[in-house]
Amino acid sequence: EQLLTLLAVAETGSVSEAALRLERGQPAISERLHKLTREIGEPLYVREGGGIQLTPVGQALIPDIRQLRAKLQDIENLLLRQKSLQAGELHIASTSLIANYLLPQYLQSFQSQNPGVNLYIKSGVTYWGDINLSKLDVFFFEGEMDIPHLPDSYEIQPWLTGEIVAVMPKTHPLASVSVLSLEDIQPFPVVWREPSSGVRRRLEKAFRQKNIVPAHFIEVADVESVGAMVKAGLGIGFMTHTVFEQRPDWDLLYKPLSSSQLIWRSFMAIPNPARRSRALSVFLDLMGSIPF
């Protein structure tokens, strides 16, 4: 308290303003400053022109006190997150595919049971550069992807898996083929997701292993665009069967791929048990109780 009081006085320039910030009376602020001065053994401030100026010794303490304040705020945030779910927050980051097609049913169930918890969801790799991972409750990502460096306090757990299928218009030349090989696909244009996509990276790896290069391709930014481009007859697209089942409005065909290795995998990074908020613990329990 004495150190934080000195910081408040340094930042406000007066005892009265520091008292307002700390919600204490001026006598209490003055007493803290006197005690700290006695403990340090030399003056930490002087009064000048109705205000307070720090001495060199007082100024030297300020950077360390600011770090102390930041650490204390982190601890306070952690304690607040352990309190009742009558009010709270759940911070989630994920790829756009996971956020749009896999998470909604879990989030709906969680919110119906915990209406006082605010949900913060950042989806898409474009947000990852600005995300403070140490403040996240859970981070969902796809296999084969490059992810940001995770704090040491986080652990990675496998989540959902899915079969990657090819999608095409009902009039496509391959529409009558029951199971496609990568060789079947090679002569036709392909609609790719963005380079960071887990589905795309898994397919590209499979093509490389067989030394197959698609005739040409179109690159789009999300799975919705894949559906639109495929529906327009611009190429064969790829997505998980789970996603395909959620979009009957595309009116497309899906075809299994003959390679048994074309499985899409997803993962979640979460704080270790000691650092999980109550909201996250409830959310994880809920996810475990609802099969996709």
Side-chain angles (χ1 to χ4, degrees):
E1 288 183 343
Q2 295 168 17
L3 292 169
L4 294 176
T5 298
L6 180 66
L7 179 59
V9 170
E11 291 178 342
T12 62
S14 75
V15 170
S16 59
E17 291 297 324
L20 289 174
R21 175 186 288 190
L22 299 176
E23 299 180 344
R24 294 290 185 272
Q26 291 189 37
I29 298 300
S30 296
E31 179 61 22
R32 289 180 185 177
L33 293 174
H34 291 323
K35 285 183 177 179
L36 182 61
T37 299
R38 288 197 298 269
E39 291 176 9
I40 298 298
E42 58 182 290
L44 302 176
Y45 60 91
V46 294
R47 297 183 181 275
E48 288 186 3
I52 284 182
Q53 298 292 326
L54 297 186
T55 65
V57 174
Q59 292 174 355
L61 290 172
I62 296 303
D64 288 334
I65 301 175
R66 285 201 171 102
Q67 290 184 19
L68 171 64
R69 180 173 63 184
K71 281 294 183 183
L72 290 172
Q73 288 172 344
D74 287 343
I75 294 171
E76 288 181 3
N77 290 337
L78 179 61
L79 295 176
L80 286 173
R81 292 168 65 180
Q82 299 297 325
K83 289 186 177 181
S84 171
L85 292 184
Q86 293 301 313
E89 299 177 347
L90 185 65
H91 293 260
I92 298 172
S94 78
T95 64
S96 58
L97 183 147
I98 290 174
N100 293 339
Y101 289 94
L102 303 181
L103 281 178
Q105 70 160 337
Y106 298 107
L107 296 174
Q108 181 186 35
S109 180
F110 177 81
Q111 189 176 57
S112 67
Q113 297 176 33
N114 307 282
V117 177
N118 295 321
L119 302 176
Y120 296 85
I121 303 168
K122 295 287 189 180
S123 62
V125 297
T126 55
Y127 287 108
W128 291 3
D130 298 325
I131 288 176
N132 184 344
L133 293 174
S134 65
K135 294 183 179 180
L136 281 180
D137 288 295
V138 57
F139 174 42
F140 293 96
F141 60 95
E142 303 171 39
E144 310 285 344
M145 300 187 74
D146 299 321
I147 65 171
H149 175 73
L150 294 169
D152 293 339
S153 58
Y154 279 63
E155 58 187 49
I156 294 176
Q157 296 183 5
W159 193 41
L160 300 177
T161 62
E163 177 190 8
I164 299 175
V165 298
V167 296
M168 62 188 67
K170 296 177 179 178
T171 56
H172 194 278
L174 295 177
S176 61
V177 180
S178 58
V179 179
L180 296 181
S181 68
L182 298 184
E183 289 81 1
D184 293 330
I185 295 170
Q186 192 277 330
F188 298 95
V190 165
V191 180
W192 281 136
R193 286 279 307 275
E194 72 279 7
S196 61
S197 162
V199 169
R200 173 172 175 172
R201 291 193 173 189
R202 188 66 197 90
L203 262 296
E204 287 181 323
K205 184 176 181 180
F207 275 120
R208 286 195 302 270
Q209 289 172 343
K210 290 183 174 290
N211 294 315
I212 297 174
V213 179
H216 62 276
F217 64 88
I218 298 170
E219 182 180 294
V220 295
D222 49 46
V223 71
E224 287 77 16
S225 299
V226 171
M229 297 299 167
V230 171
K231 187 173 182 178
L234 295 174
I236 298 173
F238 303 94
M239 61 189 65
T240 65
H241 187 247
T242 300
V243 170
F244 176 82
E245 287 184 321
Q246 295 185 48
R247 297 304 301 263
D249 55 304
W250 285 338
D251 193 30
L252 299 172
L253 289 176
Y254 86 89
K255 297 292 179 179
L257 297 166
S258 58
S259 174
S260 61
Q261 298 180 341
L262 293 179
I263 299 297
W264 174 89
R265 304 182 187 279
S266 65
F267 302 85
M268 58 180 176
I270 52 179
N272 59 46
R275 297 186 64 85
R276 292 175 195 168
S277 67
R278 288 196 62 211
L280 175 59
S281 296
V282 170
F283 183 63
L284 293 176
D285 289 342
L286 181 147
M287 287 200 304
S289 66
I290 301 178
F292 196 88

